[in-house]
Every structure is written in C-alpha cells, then in structure tokens.
Amino acid sequence: MHQAYRSHVSGAVFTMRVMVLSHGHPELGAGGAERAAYSIFQRLKADPRVEQAIFVARSEYVGIGHSACFGSFRGRPDEILVCPPPFDRFTCQSLNHDLLAQLIDELVRFFRPDVVHIHHYIFWGLDILEMFRRAGVRVVLTLHEYAAICTNLGLMVKSGKGLCYAASPAECSQCFPSMSAGKFFVRESIYKMFFENVDIFVSPSAFLKERYVDWGLPAERIEVIENVMDQDVLDRSRIPVIARPRQSEDRRLILAFFGQVNPFKGVDVLLEACASLPKRMRKKLEVRIHGENKHFRDGEFAQKIERLLGETRDVVRMMGGYRNQDVINLMRASDWIVVPSIWWENSPIVIQEARMAGRPIICADIGGMIEKIDRNLDLPFSAGSAGALADIIRSLVEGSSQTDPEAVSRFPEARQEARQALDAENYHRHFALYGHPEHKGGANCHVNNGKGSTLSEVAC
C-alpha cells in the first residue's frame, strides 16, 4: 500500500504523483541523459511514497509506430512516447506553441502530476517549462550540459575546436559569424525568461553548476546531486567481483572505452595514443572500443577514425554497441576504463559504472570528470593530448606507473557498499526536491479528466 501524506491543516490525504520527462527513451537512443531520466523513474516506481510514476519521452512517429502524437512504449502504460512539433534550434522555442500546449495539457489532465522532473527540454522546446508551471505542476530541471549557454551542441567548445571558458553574446558571435551578438543576447534572454518557471535546478557536478552561476543563474536555485544509477547496473554490481589476474608476459593489459564514437568523446585521442606506441609495447596491450558511430559515419571525423583503426589494427578491437544491462560484465573484463573526452563533460555515467564495476579509470582532466575520480587510484591526463595519454598507457604496460598495484587489485572489493549507499542517498536527495504535494497548485485536484483523451487509449 502506498504511503500517503496527511495535511496537518485539513486532515486530507495526499499522495505523490511524479512525471519524469526526457528528450528520448533510452531503449531508442541510449544517451547519458536519457538513461539518467529512466533510472530515476525506475526508482520512483519502487518507492512506496509514490502513488504513480510516469516516464514521458519524446519520439519520432517511427518510434511510436503510428501517426498519432501519443503512444506507449512496448505497451507499457506508464511509459509514454510523444511526438512534439518541431522547435527552433537556436532559441529552443516550439514552432507550434498551440499544438505543444495541447499535448502538455493532455499529459497533465490525464496523469495529474504533482511534480515533473525534466531531464531535457531539447526537442520539446523551452515552452514546456512555462506550460507545466501554469498548470500548477512543480518543475524540477536537471541540467545535463551547457545548452542554454552554448549553441554549439551545448558543449562549450569553440567552432575552431578549442575549449570555451566563458560565454558572452560577442564571443558567441565570433564562433558563429553569420549571427550577430544581438541575436545571441536575445537567445540568452529567452532562456533566462523560461528558466524563471523552474522551481529548482539539479546539476550532477559542481563544475556545471559553476558554469551556470557564472552565466547568471542564482546559486541557491541549483542543487548539486549526482545522477542515480540504472537498477540493472546496480543489481549486477552486487555480484561478487573476480579480480583481474596480474599482467604478465602472456597476458595483455586490457583498456576499454565505453560510449558514443563521436568527435567529442575523444576516441581519436585514444587511437592516436595507441598508434604512437612502439610495436613491442603494443604486443602487450589490447584496447576495446564499446560503442557505435550513428551520427558521424561520413565526413572528416569518420575518415580520421578509419585511418587510425587501420594503423592500430594489431591492438584495437571495435566491439560495437552494447546493452546497458551488460556494461558491468563488459567493464569487469577489462583492466582500466578510459574516458578521453575533449569537452567539459558534466558527469559521465561511464565513470559511475566503472565505480560499480570496480575498475580504475584513466580520465581527461577537465570538467565534471576530474571531480569524480579517485586521486589515489585513477590516472588523469591532459585533455586532448594523445602524447599524455600514451605516456600513461606506456607506464601501465611497463609496470612503472605510480599507481599501487596492490591498491588496484583490492579496488573491486573496496567500498562497494559505500558506493551503493551513495547512490541511494542521491535518489533520496532528488526526491526531497519534489516538495510536499499539499503545497502545489491545481494539479493536485485529482479529478480524472482523461475520459475521451487520446492518451486514454495508450495509457490504460
């Protein structure tokens, strides 16, 4: 039986109804933000304080399976797919405000959420922040990258590939000469106007919070809370870890990369580092690339990757995509996990997964990545430097690394319970942000207005 909240004033009983909204379903496109959103949805479903948890994901019509705007994912009534109208990629506003308002109204009327936890507004449009707020729904927004600050895919990477340390309309215009500084000023004003509808922001790293505070968000409106982990990953991480055998003449050192193969994840840096190693050393090394290149199969980057793979075919293995349920076992089959991203990663899930798998990390030294590592065990290197990464790999192969081999061998068993407890704490800190149901607006008038709704056909 669900635990209910009782008002001390009226004696009325309230229950929490939570909607988690994402820009995609992790089974249709497994990015980190999608997985983070689905993970907290999983936890909410199992929480006795929650009357109903709903996962709402943006999808194309092909994912829904028909031409209607709503569908249920694999027939699950609590996982709803929605195809919103197109949005302006510069200002992130919907290009059909009225249709989007109708879709949000359908969701609110049918599911009657007390709170909506939005994990991304991209593809939806910033308009949804105002629409939920006007409907009396508390709005919690997790910031996953720098989309509001930077129009270059939210990466804060300059068009010339260098890192961006601060944004302003004039500087942004220099990155995109076809757009005036005035346009970037208007864009910033639009974002900040819509962000006024957010009750509380969540930042998975202190670094990302600092960037948004510098941009103009009040520090007191941003809580730093790490993303919660996928339940399957947590369950598999509880299986006892078998320590990897020590490196020897007849056993290669195995490094593994997990993630999307794109220009910003640093796969090319890893391949360049491998290509620079002498042949005798490469015989003692194996590098496994777990991931796919779905969006950069053509062009300069794809050609570069193909060339580097040709140069490192003796040491690099392309393992292809992987299911999230399998990531723990795949990581445990490796000695080290490499995170070579060249942009200000906020909080890569792969670092959390490596922690759960009990594997040490070789990591670029920027953004939220550097605050996640264990400085007594993990090995940071200068971001974007294939030479610095090659030096670390060389030291591991030769056994000259300053990392204590005994500490590495003990790492799988060390602090496993503490890592599980920290993830539970992260969930409860998220839940605390949802507030008390009796303090919300009209969304708590739990009147079922779903009759006749197009949603009634997919969510019942």
Side-chain angles (χ1 to χ4, degrees):
M1 180 180 296
H2 291 292
Q3 176 180 337
Y5 294 98
R6 184 174 296 277
S7 167
H8 297 292
V9 178
S10 64
V13 175
F14 296 90
T15 51
M16 181 71 75
R17 304 171 69 88
V18 185
M19 177 178 290
V20 179
L21 186 142
S22 174
H23 62 314
H25 196 290
E27 293 291 339
L28 300 177
E34 295 95 325
R35 289 166 60 189
Y38 195 78
S39 295
I40 202 162
F41 163 68
Q42 288 177 311
R43 209 68 61 86
L44 287 164
K45 284 181 65 175
D47 193 325
R49 297 169 294 180
V50 177
E51 177 186 353
Q52 184 180 40
I54 297 294
F55 186 74
V56 178
R58 174 262 180 190
S59 173
E60 299 283 358
Y61 288 121
V62 66
I64 296 175
H66 49 72
S67 59
C69 291
F70 292 104
S72 61
F73 179 72
R74 295 178 182 171
R76 301 170 189 170
D78 55 358
E79 296 182 30
I80 306 302
L81 301 178
V82 184
C83 185
F87 73 110
D88 185 292
R89 290 184 176 273
F90 185 67
T91 65
C92 206
Q93 291 176 282
S94 176
L95 295 177
N96 191 332
H97 181 90
D98 291 343
L99 176 56
L100 182 63
Q102 179 182 340
L103 298 179
I104 297 301
D105 180 65
E106 291 271 5
L107 290 169
V108 171
R109 287 193 303 111
F110 193 85
F111 292 112
R112 298 162 286 126
D114 300 299
V115 59
V116 58
H117 188 166
I118 299 172
H119 274 262
H120 222 312
Y121 44 79
I122 195 167
F123 295 118
W124 291 91
L126 288 165
D127 316 59
I128 64 172
L129 304 177
E130 182 180 45
M131 292 170 183
F132 278 113
R133 183 67 177 270
R134 285 186 173 180
V137 182
R138 180 173 174 83
V139 178
V140 178
L141 174 61
T142 292
L143 302 165
H144 284 284
E145 40 15 36
Y146 315 93
I149 304 173
C150 176
T151 193
N152 186 19
L153 302 177
L155 299 172
M156 292 198 76
V157 174
K158 293 182 178 293
S159 56
K161 305 303 183 184
L163 290 170
C164 177
Y165 290 82
S168 70
E171 291 169 290
C172 292
S173 179
Q174 292 174 20
C175 265
F176 296 89
S178 63
M179 300 180 187
S180 67
K183 286 187 176 180
F184 281 99
F185 176 81
V186 171
R187 179 184 186 273
E188 179 179 325
S189 300
I190 289 171
Y191 265 90
K192 289 179 176 177
M193 176 187 69
F194 280 109
F195 277 2
E196 286 298 316
N197 295 287
V198 177
D199 290 282
I200 193 73
F201 295 90
V202 179
S203 172
S205 71
F207 179 86
L208 182 134
K209 175 179 178 175
E210 290 171 3
R211 283 296 168 98
Y212 272 95
V213 171
D214 290 344
W215 179 70
L217 284 185
E220 62 273 15
R221 293 183 62 201
I222 309 175
E223 291 288 332
V224 177
I225 310 175
E226 181 62 274
N227 293 315
V228 300
M229 294 291 293
D230 182 273
Q231 191 60 51
D232 285 332
V233 172
L234 289 173
D235 292 342
R236 290 173 187 267
S237 71
R238 293 187 176 96
I239 300 173
V241 183
I242 299 176
R244 295 279 300 164
R246 291 285 186 88
Q247 184 186 352
S248 62
E249 288 296 325
D250 58 352
R251 191 186 81 79
R252 290 187 170 196
L253 178 76
I254 300 177
L255 310 182
F257 168 93
F258 290 82
Q260 299 178 44
V261 180
N262 66 38
F264 314 108
K265 290 294 186 179
V267 177
D268 53 337
V269 177
L270 176 56
L271 294 179
E272 287 174 344
C274 294
S276 71
L277 297 173
K279 291 285 186 181
R280 60 175 178 79
M281 193 168 292
R282 286 156 66 157
K283 292 179 180 179
K284 301 178 182 180
L285 176 69
E286 179 178 321
V287 176
R288 299 173 179 175
I289 308 294
H290 297 272
E292 294 180 300
N293 180 4
K294 293 183 177 180
H295 304 294
F296 296 91
R297 290 175 176 166
D298 300 311
E300 182 181 344
F301 175 75
Q303 294 172 9
K304 181 180 183 180
I305 294 299
E306 286 301 316
R307 174 179 59 80
L308 288 169
L309 286 174
E311 296 175 8
T312 57
R313 64 170 62 92
D314 59 327
V315 66
V316 176
R317 295 174 61 191
M318 295 297 292
M319 310 300 290
Y322 59 93
R323 299 187 313 154
N324 193 44
Q325 300 94 312
D326 299 329
V327 69
I328 293 296
N329 290 338
L330 292 173
M331 286 185 169
R332 286 178 176 175
S334 307
D335 296 298
W336 291 78
I337 308 303
V338 186
V339 188
S341 294
I342 64 170
W343 72 286
W344 310 102
E345 288 265 20
N346 164 33
S347 181
I349 286 181
V350 66
I351 291 181
Q352 292 175 272
E353 292 168 338
R355 287 281 170 265
M356 292 297 179
R359 289 295 176 261
I361 298 164
I362 303 170
C363 182
D365 62 351
I366 57 173
M369 295 179 285
I370 195 67
E371 70 186 68
K372 308 292 181 181
I373 68 170
D374 183 336
R375 294 182 179 274
N376 295 318
L377 182 68
D378 300 323
L379 298 173
F381 70 94
S382 181
S385 173
L389 178 54
D391 287 342
I392 287 179
I393 296 174
R394 187 179 295 108
S395 69
L396 290 173
V397 172
E398 294 177 339
S400 60
S401 170
Q402 295 183 357
T403 298
D404 180 6
E406 291 297 327
V408 174
S409 66
R410 292 193 303 269
F411 184 64
E413 288 76 27
R415 304 189 302 278
Q416 184 69 15
E417 291 185 6
R419 290 194 290 271
Q420 298 277 353
L422 178 59
D423 190 77
E425 178 186 344
N426 290 333
Y427 168 71
H428 290 298
R429 289 185 63 201
H430 274 97
F431 190 85
L433 299 181
Y434 296 159
H436 197 297
E438 70 175 295
H439 296 156
K440 309 298 186 302
N444 291 289
C445 302
H446 292 334
V447 178
N448 188 350
N449 291 322
K451 187 175 181 180
S453 166
T454 56
L455 269 172
S456 63
E457 300 177 1
V458 299
C460 294

